[in-house]
Amino acid sequence: MVREHHPERAGNDQFSKEARVRGLKSRAAFKLLEINEKYKIFKAGQTVVDLGYAPGSWSQVAVDRTFPNGRVIGIDIIPAQPPKGVSTIQGNFLSHHIQEAVKDLLREPNKRRTMGHLLGDSGYESSITDEDPREWSLNQPDTEHETETERIPVQFKNHSTKKKSNEGEGRMVDIVLSDMSEPWEQTTGFWIKSLSNPYHRMMNTSGMSFRDHAGSMDLCNAALKFSYDTLRTGGHFVCKFYQGAEEKALELRLKALFAKVHREKPESSRSESKEAFFVALRRKGDTQKEDVFYDI
């Protein structure tokens, strides 16, 4: 049976209220803040890729914690107003075209593009990197005017090119974050025009545990393959998953690629939710791809 959703409950709990006070896009920010408090994954100047970034609270945390000189790129299939300081691509991350577009941005951070430039599979790139990411703070309300981003030529700032890729094969990302969920078909809220909340990202579960688990495993494995290609030695990987039979196999793949792997259920994650997080620390430099993805 499909779970009944309660938007009024979702917006009135302790963490939702605190998110509004701090100007955060959603309560999900506190999950990443808890993880960072425990494992200290962020440092100034890092390059971060946020998969499934909408509505943008994890990207807000990443911008704040990598200041100054950090660089954050967000990807999501859902249209959303990017947080200040975040470059974004809208499209299906499972698409080869979208993944290659992200890698292209990582390889050529100074490459000039125009917003609306088609990337394939209905993907397009947007950016507001020219705005000061510190105009807002995790400790201050966000007064950002929620309007559709103007379609103008943009120039990506060269935040991380001073750090040479120690592999020389495009592995220049310090952290890959994945809060992806497989979106269920929208049935309500078509009248809402704001890009900042096209429909509630936190509700992208079907209510059927097997379907949610299987979908999350596909997304986690795709994110892990992307991480293998782009994450520098010593880099970190954080992914959300829905608990089920296949999670152990995913954990073994993570242990093959990373020095330490932890399971987390942050306090800000709802107790009734099946979601949990793998926190994989310090990517190994000498692991072969077939040793990680031996069974898929």
Side-chain angles (χ1 to χ4, degrees), residues 150-220:
E150 185 182 3
R151 293 178 177 270
I152 58 176
V154 294
Q155 178 74 39
F156 288 101
K157 290 183 179 178
N158 186 3
H159 286 319
S160 57
T161 52
K162 291 181 180 179
K163 295 187 296 183
K164 287 187 176 181
S165 170
N166 52 355
E167 290 76 23
E169 297 179 354
R171 284 169 50 186
M172 60 195 73
V173 178
D174 298 291
I175 300 174
V176 173
L177 306 173
S178 175
D179 193 29
M180 291 189 289
S181 297
E182 186 176 27
W184 45 273
E185 184 177 358
Q186 183 179 5
T187 57
T188 63
F190 294 102
W191 62 90
I192 299 175
K193 301 301 182 183
S194 170
L195 287 178
S196 63
N197 187 18
Y199 55 101
H200 293 295
R201 183 71 179 176
M202 69 183 69
M203 294 182 180
N204 284 357
T205 53
S206 66
M208 295 178 284
S209 58
F210 175 78
R211 174 181 171 180
D212 294 336
H213 168 66
S216 78
M217 290 297 102
D218 289 341
L219 293 171
C220 286

Side-chain angles (χ1 to χ4, degrees), residues 22-74:
R22 297 195 189 190
L24 296 167
K25 296 283 189 178
S26 79
R27 68 192 301 282
F30 294 106
K31 302 171 189 177
L32 186 56
L33 285 168
E34 286 183 58
I35 289 171
N36 186 59
E37 180 67 22
K38 186 171 183 179
Y39 296 107
K40 305 294 188 293
I41 61 175
F42 291 113
K43 294 179 181 178
Q46 288 176 320
T47 295
V48 181
V49 175
D50 184 4
L51 307 176
Y53 84 91
S57 60
W58 276 29
S59 288
Q60 284 180 300
V61 172
V63 167
D64 186 80
R65 294 299 189 256
T66 60
F67 180 85
N69 299 323
R71 183 175 182 227
V72 181
I73 298 174

Side-chain angles (χ1 to χ4, degrees), residues 120-139:
D121 289 358
S122 300
Y124 68 83
E125 177 188 347
S126 60
S127 172
I128 52 172
T129 50
D130 289 334
E131 298 187 31
D132 182 0
R134 298 295 290 188
E135 288 180 7
W136 61 273
S137 168
L138 290 179
N139 298 314

Side-chain angles (χ1 to χ4, degrees), residues 248-263:
K248 187 62 179 177
L250 174 60
E251 184 176 15
L252 290 175
R253 290 183 205 108
L254 290 169
K255 287 182 176 179
L257 187 58
F258 295 90
K260 291 286 184 180
V261 177
H262 305 273
R263 291 171 179 249

Side-chain angles (χ1 to χ4, degrees), residues 108-124:
E108 301 183 66
N110 286 320
K111 187 172 183 179
R112 190 173 182 85
R113 294 173 179 265
T114 301
M115 290 176 62
H117 171 63
L118 292 180
L119 299 174
D121 289 358
S122 300
Y124 68 83

Side-chain angles (χ1 to χ4, degrees), residues 259-280:
K260 291 286 184 180
V261 177
H262 305 273
R263 291 171 179 249
E264 289 295 327
K265 176 75 171 176
E267 181 185 350
S268 49
S269 177
R270 289 185 173 85
S271 58
E272 68 271 20
S273 172
K274 285 280 191 180
E275 74 172 9
F277 298 84
F278 279 121
V279 182

